[in-house]
């Protein structure tokens, strides 16, 4: 959970009421937050760096508040104060998109050149805003918190804020060769090319962490105004020409991104949090969503009562008059609301979990372990008793692990691919447990032989009949690694597993094995396992090429089968 530090006195001023520490702690608990610590800047520095560094630090009391990870609207003082005020029925802000007094809204043109770098951009304007030093500091701090949180250190989204009165629209978001980009970056006195900037910021303690995002790209993203003035080179640095200050009255906020949904969320957070400081409060350029909810969250309450509870949670609601339906307006600050169950949760929080009476269930039920997990746990104990050691491997692996190393073609695997893998080791969801066990053996080759390992875990397979396009399948996999192949050991383990599963050795009504061809196994040393006439897995001696590709040097036998047919 993110922790937000706010100055106590400023927070109480925004709330319009002074609380004791105990009262505020209780208020946070009711709202679903947690007051983690009460401290001062001096205490913090003294604790982290020593008393000598703390001299001259502020003695202003700070509240450190833990907020839910998906509540981006609570990452600043303005959001926390507004949420608590709505909860206490002191205000009910309604965010509106308005047209500028001058007529035409600002335009941002996104060119096709950005597709290979950061393809998306969104923008909005806060007009006639009034900054104080505290508001300005909070504005900058929220940007940084969003960058570290939902923006994933600027890899998904980068925020740029500009003094609109210093530039002239329409604006153009494009990508150019690094040598063709010239501008004076924030807090610098001279112009640099993008190439020079990348070298300059390699030693910057703050910006150097973001250089890798674009430094290997052939073109860098850049935003210009109609006069060719550079506003920013996202996600690295803004231009000095359009920097905001306490005197700024109109703020142009732009977000460039690789994820359009995240960009919209971030833009909504920036403009809604500080739109209250505009001459016409809570006005900006994006729109709100309206979503009907068919069933009331608390069946014992009236629709009017539920609508009032939701309104306390910043979800303006009213009964539709059609049965028990409630119309709920989702403001742009609540990007965490994506389903009706999220609305129900907010209604329960507003009602107060402590206020829900304890009742005896109307039906008599007994909890049971999920059958598949129960079977898994029972098998784990008995396979370990059979002399095999359990391994637990990653659910993700490289594409090569399930294709080339197993002598398979990609189309045979039915693998679910990761859209944006961070490393070559985690490109796909595993479709077989075998590569993980072979890599475990390769990492433990110095251990005494034989190595007898097993794993019972899920694999992921594409399945067009499922709403998500894939399904999990519980598998059992075991390997025997020694100077001799040890097929009889693996075969014996299969017989023991069938005995435990109470499946008799019989063709048609029980289980049997028959010869099969599989490129992963040695020709003539592979068998398919059938239960009641249905194939559930394979066992055999691994092909020498498979053994070599996993950097092993001795023969290895393996068994892998599906456990779900045994339920």
């Amino acid at each position: 959970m993110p922790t937000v530090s706010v100055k106590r006195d400023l927070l109480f001023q925004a709330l319009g009421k002074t609380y004791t520490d105990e009262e505020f702690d209780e208020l946070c608990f009711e709202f679903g937050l947690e007051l983690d610590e009460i401290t001062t800047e001096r205490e913090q520095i003294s604790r982290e760096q020593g008393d000598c560094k703390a001299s001259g630090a502020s003695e202003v009391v700070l509240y450190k508040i833990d907020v839910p990870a998906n509540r981006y609207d609570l990452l600043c003082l303005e959001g926390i104060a507004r949420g608590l005020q709505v909860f206490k029925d002191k205000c009910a802000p309604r965010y509106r998109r308005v047209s500028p007094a001058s007529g035409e809204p600002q335009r941002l043109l996104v060119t096709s050149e950005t597709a290979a770098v950061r393809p998306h951009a969104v923008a909005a304007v806060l007009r006639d805003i009034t900054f104080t030093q505290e508001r300005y500091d909070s504005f900058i701090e929220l940007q940084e918190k969003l960058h570290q949180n939902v923006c994933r250190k600027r890899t998904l989204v980068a925020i740029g804020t500009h003094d609109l009165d210093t530039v002239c629209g329409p604006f153009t978001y494009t990508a150019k060769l690094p040598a063709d980009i010239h501008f004076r970056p924030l807090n610098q006195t001279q112009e640099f090319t993008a190439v020079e900037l990348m070298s300059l910021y390699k030693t910057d303690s703050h910006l150097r962490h973001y250089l890798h995002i674009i430094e290997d790209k052939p073109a860098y993203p850049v935003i210009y105004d109609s006069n060719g003035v550079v506003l920013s080179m996202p996600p690295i640095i803004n231009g000095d020409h359009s920097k905001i200050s306490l005197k700024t009255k109109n703020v142009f906020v732009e977000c460039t991104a690789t994820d359009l949904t995240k960009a919209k969320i971030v833009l909504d957070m920036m403009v809604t949090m500080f739109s209250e400081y505009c001459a016409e409060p809570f006005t900006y350029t994006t729109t709100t969503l309206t979503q009907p909810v068919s069933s009331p969250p608390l069946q014992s309450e009236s629709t009017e009562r539920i609508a009032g509870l939701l309104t306390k949670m910043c979800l303006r609601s009213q009964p539709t008059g059609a049965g028990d339906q409630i119309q709920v307006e989702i403001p742009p600050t609540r990007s965490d609301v994506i389903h009706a169950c999220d609305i129900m949760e907010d209604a329960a929080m507003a009602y107060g979990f402590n206020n829900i009476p304890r009742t005896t269930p109307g039906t008599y039920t007994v909890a049971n372990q999920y059958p598949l997990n129960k079977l898994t746990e029972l098998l784990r104990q008995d396979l370990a008793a059979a002399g095999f050691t359990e391994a637990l491997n990653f659910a993700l692996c490289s594409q090569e692990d399930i294709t080339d190393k197993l002598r398979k073609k990609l189309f045979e695997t039915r693998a679910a691919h990761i859209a944006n893998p961070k490393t070559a080791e985690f490109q796909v969801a595993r479709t077989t447990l075998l590569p993980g066990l072979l890599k475990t053996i390769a990492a433990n080759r110095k251990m005494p032989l034989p190595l007898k390992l097993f794993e019972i875990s899920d694999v992921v397979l594409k399945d067009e009949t499922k709403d998500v396009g894939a399904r999990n399948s519980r598998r059992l996999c075991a390997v025997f690694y020694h100077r001799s192949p040890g097929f009889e050991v693996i075969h014996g383990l299969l017989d023991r597993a069938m005995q435990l599963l109470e499946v008799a050795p019989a063709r048609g009504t029980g289980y049997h094995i028959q010869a099969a061809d599989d490129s992963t196994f040695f020709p003539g040393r592979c068998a398919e396992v059938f239960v009641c006439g249905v194939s559930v897995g394979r066992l055999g001696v691994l092909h020498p090429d498979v053994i070599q590709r996993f950097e092993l040097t001795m023969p290895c036998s393996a068994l892998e089968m599906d456990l779900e047919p045994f339920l």
Side-chain angles (χ1 to χ4, degrees), residues 107-123:
R107 290 187 295 120
L108 175 63
L109 171 66
V110 180
T111 69
S112 58
E113 287 81 4
T114 63
V117 194
R118 296 175 76 82
H120 307 295
V122 291

Side-chain angles (χ1 to χ4, degrees), residues 275-410:
S275 60
E276 69 174 288
Y277 301 136
C278 294
E280 190 177 352
F282 307 117
T283 57
Y284 70 127
T285 58
T286 58
T287 57
T288 58
L289 306 175
T290 301
Q291 176 180 340
V293 180
S294 297
S295 58
L298 301 172
Q299 297 293 340
S300 61
E301 297 292 321
S302 66
T303 54
E304 291 78 9
R305 169 69 168 147
I306 297 298
L309 293 173
L310 290 172
T311 300
K312 288 178 65 175
M313 301 301 291
C314 302
L315 303 176
R316 185 184 293 270
S317 307
Q318 61 184 16
T320 62
D324 59 0
Q325 284 194 343
I326 300 173
Q327 180 173 283
V328 183
E329 185 177 296
I330 314 298
T333 55
R334 294 301 305 276
S335 60
D336 59 301
V337 178
I338 57 177
H339 191 275
C341 64
D342 298 314
I343 297 173
M344 297 175 189
E345 180 186 18
D346 271 16
M349 289 173 62
Y351 184 83
F353 291 116
N354 291 341
N355 297 324
I356 299 176
R358 292 174 180 265
T359 59
T360 303
T363 56
Y364 179 75
T365 59
V366 178
N368 279 321
Q369 189 175 9
Y370 185 53
L372 183 58
N373 289 342
K374 183 176 181 180
L375 175 63
T376 297
E377 293 301 326
L378 292 172
L379 274 177
R380 280 174 173 155
Q381 296 179 31
D382 287 301
L383 293 181
F388 281 73
T389 301
E390 185 175 12
L392 185 62
N393 292 294
F394 294 116
L396 301 181
C397 63
S398 70
Q399 182 175 299
E400 184 184 28
D401 286 343
I402 61 171
T403 54
D404 296 344
K405 288 186 177 181
L406 294 181
R407 306 178 77 240
K408 299 281 188 184
K409 301 296 184 183
L410 184 59

Side-chain angles (χ1 to χ4, degrees), residues 25-52:
D25 188 18
E26 182 64 24
L27 175 60
C28 286
F29 177 79
E30 292 175 1
F31 188 59
L33 307 180
E34 182 179 350
L35 180 57
D36 182 59
E37 184 182 0
I38 302 171
T39 184
T40 66
E41 183 180 307
R42 183 185 181 88
E43 285 180 11
Q44 277 186 291
I45 298 174
S46 177
R47 185 169 58 246
E48 296 170 3
Q49 303 178 30
D51 292 337
C52 59

Side-chain angles (χ1 to χ4, degrees), residues 84-327:
L84 291 174
Q85 283 183 308
V86 174
F87 184 70
K88 300 299 286 184
D89 295 323
K90 292 185 177 179
C91 74
R94 193 166 196 169
Y95 305 96
R96 296 181 297 112
R97 183 174 70 178
V98 296
S99 299
S102 57
E104 281 295 315
Q106 293 292 340
R107 290 187 295 120
L108 175 63
L109 171 66
V110 180
T111 69
S112 58
E113 287 81 4
T114 63
V117 194
R118 296 175 76 82
H120 307 295
V122 291
V125 176
L126 288 171
R127 295 187 177 276
D128 204 9
I129 192 170
T130 301
F131 279 123
T132 63
Q133 187 62 56
E134 290 78 13
R135 295 174 183 179
Y136 179 85
D137 292 343
S138 183
F139 188 73
I140 299 300
E141 187 177 348
L142 177 61
Q143 288 184 61
E144 190 57 32
K145 285 190 178 294
L146 290 171
H147 275 149
Q148 298 302 313
N149 193 306
V150 62
C151 300
R152 294 295 185 270
K153 298 183 178 180
R154 305 192 190 183
T155 56
L156 298 183
V157 186
I159 310 165
T161 55
H162 313 276
D163 188 333
L164 183 62
D165 297 326
T166 64
V167 289
C168 182
F171 304 97
T172 302
Y173 174 50
T174 186
K176 287 191 171 185
L177 295 175
D180 294 340
I181 300 174
H182 303 262
F183 70 104
R184 180 159 58 95
L186 194 64
N187 299 326
Q188 296 291 332
T189 57
Q190 65 182 72
E191 283 196 356
F192 294 86
T193 65
V195 177
E196 293 169 337
L197 280 178
M198 298 301 272
S199 298
L200 174 68
Y201 290 137
K202 282 187 183 297
T203 56
D204 187 285
S205 60
H206 178 59
L207 296 177
R208 61 183 175 144
H209 302 293
Y210 310 118
L211 301 183
H212 71 279
I213 300 173
I214 63 168
E215 65 180 344
D216 294 328
K217 305 292 184 183
Y220 290 174
V222 62
I223 298 177
Y224 292 97
D225 76 350
S226 59
N227 296 324
V229 174
V230 172
L231 276 70
S232 68
M233 186 179 76
I236 309 301
I237 192 71
N238 288 347
D240 192 72
H241 179 88
S242 59
K243 68 180 180 183
I244 64 173
S245 67
L246 293 179
K247 297 180 180 179
T248 298
K249 298 303 293 180
N250 298 298
V251 180
F252 178 69
V253 184
E254 42 87 0
C255 297
T256 59
T258 57
D259 185 319
L260 181 58
T261 300
K262 291 288 192 296
K264 291 178 179 179
I265 290 173
V266 170
L267 183 68
D268 284 347
M269 293 307 111
M270 288 299 301
V271 295
T272 54
M273 289 302 98
F274 291 88
S275 60
E276 69 174 288
Y277 301 136
C278 294
E280 190 177 352
F282 307 117
T283 57
Y284 70 127
T285 58
T286 58
T287 57
T288 58
L289 306 175
T290 301
Q291 176 180 340
V293 180
S294 297
S295 58
L298 301 172
Q299 297 293 340
S300 61
E301 297 292 321
S302 66
T303 54
E304 291 78 9
R305 169 69 168 147
I306 297 298
L309 293 173
L310 290 172
T311 300
K312 288 178 65 175
M313 301 301 291
C314 302
L315 303 176
R316 185 184 293 270
S317 307
Q318 61 184 16
T320 62
D324 59 0
Q325 284 194 343
I326 300 173
Q327 180 173 283

Side-chain angles (χ1 to χ4, degrees), residues 473-488:
S473 176
R474 186 66 53 87
R475 297 278 183 88
L476 158 64
C477 186
V479 294
F480 178 83
Y481 180 73
H482 199 30
R483 294 182 181 86
S484 59
F487 179 78
E488 68 281 0

